[in-house]
Amino acid sequence: MSKPRIHILALGGTIATRPDPTGAMQMGLGADDLVAAVPLLNEVAEIGAETVSRVGSHSLSFDQIHALAGRIRGLKADGVVVTQGTDTLEETSFLLDLLLDLDIPVIVTAAMRNPALTSPDGPGNLLAAVRVAADPWVRRNAKALGVIAVMLDEVYAASDVLKVHPTRLNAFASTQTGPLAALVEDRVVPFALPVRDAVIEARKKLAGVSGEAAPIALFWMSLDDDAALMPLMLAAPDRLGYRGAVIAAMGGGHTPERATENVIRLAKSMPTVVSPRAGGGPMLRKTYGGPSSEIALREAGLIWGGRLHPLKARVLLETCLRAGLDRAVIAELFDAFG
């Protein structure tokens, strides 16, 4: 039986670093270097390797991920593995999921421990990602799975995966749903298929998105915050370049009462999404009253972000505005996320 063709696209990140003369880790390794470090890859699949960039994921842009999606669409492969840094993996994987509608596995992986440390996890994560991409169950269900992340022998849906710790090996989790599968020995053990109706609906509206970047402001609500930066932004002739905003709200969708006037002004000026600062999970819609409750904010025209983490809500809003969608359609897409 012929082995599947898996194409590896390397963007940079910890997985691709090497020490400089001072001992500090710098970007430098390319896709061929990553493949050479894992000889077992060639037993699993026919491997193609391509270096796309050599940057930390904290410096990636929306435009770069749109270009990456275009490159993935043009590949003739049975599966694709993207290697990058962990800093923005939860965002880039979700953006790829919104942009790609393919019937082959697309997997994002990375490393928490750099190659100069004892037991770096990059080679193991890359091998696991290729094994997942080559797995018959994954290939059969590639469309239903969408873009997935593979870290520390667990498989996560792009819409749910989060980086939950800055340095630990087990830094990634899907706190709402858990992993979709796990790797045990050399096999993939499936657990579940993700609920992706909202992503599928969003894709229909976002198909062929090619507009200019649409910067999104992110406001994290906190104790005794009056959101004084909002009117300063709105007073600028160009709103400082922002075209939309995400508010990481307290509890089930609340803001401090002293911030309410500024929050509502912001929502009247640009599409503004409310998302849970707790990190995800469906918010309330009709439980609490008062000027900064979920009832009042929804009535004032704020868009409810459903179960999306604020970082993922920002990705979806940017993509919607880049595609030229109006506020009503944007609200409808977010509403599908719960």
Side-chain angles (χ1 to χ4, degrees), residues 56-145:
S57 69
H58 49 268
S59 294
L60 290 172
S61 68
F62 281 95
D63 286 344
Q64 284 175 290
I65 303 305
H66 278 263
L68 178 67
R71 177 68 185 123
I72 291 171
R73 289 190 202 99
L75 290 173
K76 294 181 179 179
D78 299 314
V80 177
V81 172
V82 176
T83 65
Q84 64 160 81
T86 61
D87 286 358
T88 58
L89 186 148
E90 58 204 318
E91 295 159 88
T92 57
S93 61
F94 183 50
L95 180 53
L96 287 173
D97 200 25
L98 293 171
L99 299 175
L100 295 173
D101 185 12
L102 304 177
D103 57 4
I104 62 170
V106 177
I107 296 165
V108 183
T109 193
M112 290 300 299
R113 292 175 65 84
N114 70 65
L117 294 173
T118 302
S119 301
D121 56 324
N125 285 340
L126 180 57
L127 178 59
V130 170
R131 279 183 168 148
V132 170
D135 179 78
W137 178 81
V138 173
R139 293 175 63 190
R140 220 171 30 247
N141 291 285
K143 213 169 182 67
L145 290 165

Side-chain angles (χ1 to χ4, degrees), residues 13 23-24 32 38 47 60 88 99 103 123 128 153 155 172 179-180 209-210 226 232 276 310 313-314 316 337:
D32 290 339
V38 193
I47 301 295
L60 290 172
T88 58
L99 299 175
D103 57 4
D153 288 345
V155 180
F172 285 83
L180 304 176
V209 55
S210 59
D226 63 1
L232 294 177
R314 180 175 174 269
L316 178 55
F337 283 92

